[in-house]
Amino acid sequence: MEWLRLTVRLTHFSLFLAATSLLATSLLATETVTRRPIDRTPWARRCFRGACWCLGLHVHLHGAPPSRNVLVVSNHISWTDIPILGSLTPTLFLSKAEVGHWPVIGWLAQQAGTLFIKRGSGKARRIRKAVAGKLMAGDSVLIFPEATTGRGLTVLPFHGLLLGAAADSSVPIQPVTISYRRNGRPDHLAPFVGEDTFQSHIVALLRQPPARVDVLFHSPIEVSPETGTSDLAEQLQNTVRAGLSRIQQGELDAPPGEGIRTAGDPGLPRPQ
């Protein structure tokens, strides 16, 4: 059964990547011919929804996604965080430079406007300025202040420097908690940590039944230039960690007989 599930899902995912690559190429060609930039955000959101479906992710939404451009701040568990969050709210992403070299997906990420950061490069202030520029232009940007992925059991300390981009651009910060569960317990397959490779990780995911993903949008936080980034980082970490605890304890699960908002509400079919 696992191999049949893997074959079907891998086929779907491969076809999805091919279709998405064709779409990205078409948009790029149209821009070249018309010499006018195309807003890729609506297209990216549709593609992220398709990716969630292909990956067999049951996404449950709690709280309200932002209604304006914000700096989105989330805990980080896996590369799948990006299509999940991208399916729920239009946003650009800040990602480690290695992702840009992944076959097909790296190129697609570049076409979607992803900002790549090379860890340990000493360019954090330059990246902060780039993020602030995107925010001032009216885009939302998602960052992962833990600066690495965790196993989803807790929230690692947040780094504060990039959080200052919100004050630089006078936009709120939108804290988000993401959690993966399988059979009511934290999912041990979802975390993309250590020496994991993309190829082995996606095969492990596609072989197994769908995972449940809970995404909690907390209330936005207004910041000012006087706000200390260290204190702000601690406040956001505590907010996201409290949300993770609520999800893991089942506090946000719908009572029997009641519905729950899912990523399928705006048009994403539920995976089987």
Side-chain angles (χ1 to χ4, degrees), residues 146-181:
E146 292 169 295
T148 187
T149 51
R151 296 196 174 276
L153 302 177
T154 187
V155 178
L156 302 175
F158 279 12
H159 298 272
L161 183 58
L162 295 182
L163 300 176
D168 296 343
S169 53
S170 301
V171 303
I173 293 180
Q174 176 81 62
V176 177
T177 300
I178 186 168
S179 175
Y180 297 76
R181 287 186 291 168

Short mmCIF file of all heavy atoms in Angstrom, two decimals, residues 146-181:
data_model
loop_
_atom_site.label_atom_id
_atom_site.label_comp_id
_atom_site.label_asym_id
_atom_site.label_seq_id
_atom_site.Cartn_x
_atom_site.Cartn_y
_atom_site.Cartn_z
N GLU A 146 13.85 31.55 13.97
CA GLU A 146 14.67 30.53 14.61
C GLU A 146 15.96 30.29 13.81
O GLU A 146 16.93 29.74 14.35
CB GLU A 146 13.90 29.21 14.71
CG GLU A 146 12.73 29.26 15.67
CD GLU A 146 11.85 28.03 15.53
OE1 GLU A 146 11.24 27.86 14.46
OE2 GLU A 146 11.77 27.23 16.49
N ALA A 147 15.93 30.68 12.53
CA ALA A 147 17.09 30.56 11.62
C ALA A 147 17.48 29.11 11.33
O ALA A 147 18.53 28.86 10.73
CB ALA A 147 18.29 31.31 12.18
N THR A 148 16.64 28.17 11.72
CA THR A 148 16.85 26.77 11.42
C THR A 148 15.54 26.04 11.64
O THR A 148 14.57 26.62 12.16
CB THR A 148 17.96 26.16 12.30
OG1 THR A 148 18.25 24.82 11.85
CG2 THR A 148 17.54 26.10 13.76
N THR A 149 15.48 24.78 11.25
CA THR A 149 14.27 24.00 11.48
C THR A 149 14.39 23.23 12.79
O THR A 149 15.49 22.85 13.21
CB THR A 149 14.04 22.99 10.34
OG1 THR A 149 15.25 22.25 10.11
CG2 THR A 149 13.64 23.71 9.06
N GLY A 150 13.25 23.02 13.44
CA GLY A 150 13.19 22.22 14.66
C GLY A 150 12.29 21.02 14.45
O GLY A 150 11.72 20.83 13.38
N ARG A 151 12.15 20.22 15.49
CA ARG A 151 11.36 19.00 15.37
C ARG A 151 9.88 19.20 15.70
O ARG A 151 9.11 18.25 15.73
CB ARG A 151 11.94 17.89 16.26
CG ARG A 151 13.34 17.49 15.82
CD ARG A 151 13.80 16.18 16.41
NE ARG A 151 15.08 15.77 15.86
CZ ARG A 151 15.23 15.12 14.71
NH1 ARG A 151 14.18 14.79 14.00
NH2 ARG A 151 16.44 14.79 14.28
N GLY A 152 9.49 20.44 15.94
CA GLY A 152 8.09 20.73 16.15
C GLY A 152 7.59 20.46 17.55
O GLY A 152 6.39 20.55 17.81
N LEU A 153 8.50 20.13 18.46
CA LEU A 153 8.10 19.85 19.84
C LEU A 153 8.10 21.11 20.69
O LEU A 153 7.39 21.19 21.69
CB LEU A 153 9.04 18.81 20.46
CG LEU A 153 9.13 17.47 19.71
CD1 LEU A 153 10.14 16.55 20.38
CD2 LEU A 153 7.76 16.80 19.65
N THR A 154 8.92 22.08 20.31
CA THR A 154 8.98 23.35 21.01
C THR A 154 9.41 24.40 20.00
O THR A 154 9.58 24.11 18.82
CB THR A 154 9.95 23.30 22.20
OG1 THR A 154 9.86 24.52 22.95
CG2 THR A 154 11.38 23.09 21.73
N VAL A 155 9.60 25.63 20.46
CA VAL A 155 10.03 26.73 19.59
C VAL A 155 11.42 27.18 20.03
O VAL A 155 11.63 27.51 21.20
CB VAL A 155 9.04 27.90 19.65
CG1 VAL A 155 9.53 29.05 18.77
CG2 VAL A 155 7.65 27.45 19.20
N LEU A 156 12.36 27.18 19.12
CA LEU A 156 13.73 27.58 19.42
C LEU A 156 13.81 29.09 19.60
O LEU A 156 12.91 29.83 19.17
CB LEU A 156 14.66 27.12 18.30
CG LEU A 156 14.67 25.61 18.00
CD1 LEU A 156 15.55 25.33 16.78
CD2 LEU A 156 15.15 24.84 19.21
N PRO A 157 14.87 29.60 20.24
CA PRO A 157 15.00 31.05 20.43
C PRO A 157 14.93 31.81 19.10
O PRO A 157 15.49 31.37 18.10
CB PRO A 157 16.38 31.19 21.09
CG PRO A 157 16.60 29.87 21.79
CD PRO A 157 15.96 28.85 20.89
N PHE A 158 14.26 32.95 19.14
CA PHE A 158 14.15 33.80 17.96
C PHE A 158 15.34 34.77 17.90
O PHE A 158 15.77 35.30 18.92
CB PHE A 158 12.86 34.62 18.01
CG PHE A 158 11.63 33.86 17.54
CD1 PHE A 158 11.66 32.49 17.35
CD2 PHE A 158 10.44 34.54 17.30
CE1 PHE A 158 10.54 31.79 16.93
CE2 PHE A 158 9.32 33.87 16.87
CZ PHE A 158 9.36 32.49 16.68
N HIS A 159 15.84 35.00 16.69
CA HIS A 159 16.87 36.02 16.46
C HIS A 159 16.16 37.31 16.06
O HIS A 159 15.25 37.31 15.23
CB HIS A 159 17.83 35.56 15.37
CG HIS A 159 18.57 34.31 15.74
ND1 HIS A 159 19.76 34.31 16.43
CD2 HIS A 159 18.28 33.00 15.51
CE1 HIS A 159 20.19 33.08 16.61
NE2 HIS A 159 19.31 32.25 16.07
N GLY A 160 16.61 38.44 16.63
CA GLY A 160 15.83 39.66 16.53
C GLY A 160 16.17 40.62 15.41
O GLY A 160 15.35 41.48 15.09
N LEU A 161 17.34 40.50 14.78
CA LEU A 161 17.79 41.55 13.87
C LEU A 161 16.82 41.80 12.72
O LEU A 161 16.44 42.94 12.44
CB LEU A 161 19.17 41.22 13.31
CG LEU A 161 19.77 42.29 12.38
CD1 LEU A 161 19.88 43.64 13.11
CD2 LEU A 161 21.12 41.85 11.86
N LEU A 162 16.37 40.73 12.06
CA LEU A 162 15.49 40.91 10.90
C LEU A 162 14.11 41.41 11.29
O LEU A 162 13.38 41.95 10.46
CB LEU A 162 15.38 39.61 10.11
CG LEU A 162 16.66 39.10 9.46
CD1 LEU A 162 16.40 37.83 8.67
CD2 LEU A 162 17.28 40.17 8.55
N LEU A 163 13.74 41.21 12.57
CA LEU A 163 12.43 41.70 13.02
C LEU A 163 12.35 43.22 12.92
O LEU A 163 11.26 43.79 12.79
CB LEU A 163 12.17 41.27 14.47
CG LEU A 163 12.15 39.76 14.73
CD1 LEU A 163 11.99 39.49 16.22
CD2 LEU A 163 11.01 39.10 13.95
N GLY A 164 13.49 43.88 12.97
CA GLY A 164 13.52 45.33 12.87
C GLY A 164 13.03 45.85 11.53
O GLY A 164 12.73 47.05 11.40
N ALA A 165 12.92 44.97 10.52
CA ALA A 165 12.41 45.41 9.22
C ALA A 165 10.98 45.90 9.32
O ALA A 165 10.56 46.76 8.53
CB ALA A 165 12.50 44.26 8.22
N ALA A 166 10.23 45.39 10.30
CA ALA A 166 8.84 45.84 10.48
C ALA A 166 8.80 47.29 10.92
O ALA A 166 8.04 48.10 10.39
CB ALA A 166 8.12 44.95 11.49
N ALA A 167 9.64 47.65 11.91
CA ALA A 167 9.69 49.04 12.37
C ALA A 167 10.26 49.94 11.28
O ALA A 167 9.80 51.07 11.10
CB ALA A 167 10.54 49.13 13.63
N ASP A 168 11.24 49.44 10.52
CA ASP A 168 11.84 50.23 9.44
C ASP A 168 10.81 50.63 8.39
O ASP A 168 10.93 51.69 7.77
CB ASP A 168 12.97 49.45 8.76
CG ASP A 168 14.13 49.17 9.69
OD1 ASP A 168 14.22 49.83 10.75
OD2 ASP A 168 14.94 48.27 9.37
N SER A 169 9.81 49.76 8.20
CA SER A 169 8.82 49.99 7.14
C SER A 169 7.45 50.36 7.68
O SER A 169 6.50 50.51 6.90
CB SER A 169 8.71 48.74 6.26
OG SER A 169 8.47 47.60 7.07
N SER A 170 7.33 50.47 9.01
CA SER A 170 6.06 50.85 9.66
C SER A 170 4.92 49.90 9.32
O SER A 170 3.79 50.31 9.01
CB SER A 170 5.67 52.28 9.27
OG SER A 170 6.68 53.20 9.65
N VAL A 171 5.18 48.59 9.39
CA VAL A 171 4.13 47.59 9.19
C VAL A 171 4.06 46.70 10.43
O VAL A 171 5.05 46.56 11.16
CB VAL A 171 4.36 46.73 7.93
CG1 VAL A 171 4.47 47.59 6.69
CG2 VAL A 171 5.59 45.85 8.09
N PRO A 172 2.90 46.09 10.70
CA PRO A 172 2.78 45.19 11.87
C PRO A 172 3.52 43.87 11.64
O PRO A 172 3.88 43.52 10.51
CB PRO A 172 1.27 44.96 11.98
CG PRO A 172 0.62 45.94 11.06
CD PRO A 172 1.62 46.26 10.00
N ILE A 173 3.71 43.16 12.73
CA ILE A 173 4.23 41.79 12.68
C ILE A 173 3.08 40.83 12.94
O ILE A 173 2.30 41.01 13.87
CB ILE A 173 5.35 41.58 13.72
CG1 ILE A 173 6.58 42.42 13.36
CG2 ILE A 173 5.73 40.10 13.80
CD1 ILE A 173 7.73 42.27 14.34
N GLN A 174 2.98 39.80 12.11
CA GLN A 174 1.93 38.79 12.24
C GLN A 174 2.55 37.48 12.72
O GLN A 174 3.17 36.75 11.96
CB GLN A 174 1.24 38.56 10.90
CG GLN A 174 0.20 37.45 10.90
CD GLN A 174 -1.12 37.90 11.46
OE1 GLN A 174 -1.75 38.78 10.90
NE2 GLN A 174 -1.56 37.29 12.55
N PRO A 175 2.44 37.16 14.03
CA PRO A 175 2.98 35.88 14.52
C PRO A 175 2.11 34.71 14.05
O PRO A 175 0.87 34.81 14.04
CB PRO A 175 2.93 36.02 16.05
CG PRO A 175 2.55 37.45 16.32
CD PRO A 175 1.85 37.95 15.13
N VAL A 176 2.75 33.62 13.69
CA VAL A 176 2.05 32.43 13.22
C VAL A 176 2.68 31.21 13.86
O VAL A 176 3.91 31.11 13.98
CB VAL A 176 2.13 32.31 11.68
CG1 VAL A 176 1.46 31.02 11.21
CG2 VAL A 176 1.50 33.51 11.01
N THR A 177 1.84 30.27 14.27
CA THR A 177 2.31 28.99 14.78
C THR A 177 1.89 27.90 13.81
O THR A 177 0.74 27.83 13.40
CB THR A 177 1.72 28.67 16.16
OG1 THR A 177 2.09 29.69 17.10
CG2 THR A 177 2.23 27.33 16.67
N ILE A 178 2.84 27.03 13.45
CA ILE A 178 2.53 25.89 12.59
C ILE A 178 2.90 24.61 13.33
O ILE A 178 3.92 24.55 14.03
CB ILE A 178 3.27 26.00 11.24
CG1 ILE A 178 2.83 24.89 10.28
CG2 ILE A 178 4.78 26.01 11.42
CD1 ILE A 178 3.28 25.11 8.85
N SER A 179 2.05 23.60 13.20
CA SER A 179 2.29 22.33 13.89
C SER A 179 1.79 21.17 13.04
O SER A 179 0.72 21.25 12.43
CB SER A 179 1.54 22.32 15.23
OG SER A 179 1.65 21.05 15.88
N TYR A 180 2.59 20.12 12.97
CA TYR A 180 2.24 18.91 12.22
C TYR A 180 1.90 17.81 13.22
O TYR A 180 2.65 17.57 14.18
CB TYR A 180 3.41 18.44 11.36
CG TYR A 180 3.85 19.40 10.28
CD1 TYR A 180 4.59 20.54 10.61
CD2 TYR A 180 3.54 19.17 8.94
CE1 TYR A 180 5.00 21.42 9.62
CE2 TYR A 180 3.97 20.05 7.95
CZ TYR A 180 4.69 21.17 8.30
OH TYR A 180 5.11 22.05 7.33
N ARG A 181 0.79 17.12 12.98
CA ARG A 181 0.42 16.02 13.85
C ARG A 181 0.02 14.79 13.04
O ARG A 181 -0.51 14.91 11.94
CB ARG A 181 -0.73 16.42 14.78
CG ARG A 181 -0.32 17.37 15.89
CD ARG A 181 -1.47 17.64 16.86
NE ARG A 181 -2.53 18.42 16.24
CZ ARG A 181 -3.74 18.59 16.78
NH1 ARG A 181 -4.03 18.01 17.93
NH2 ARG A 181 -4.65 19.33 16.18
#
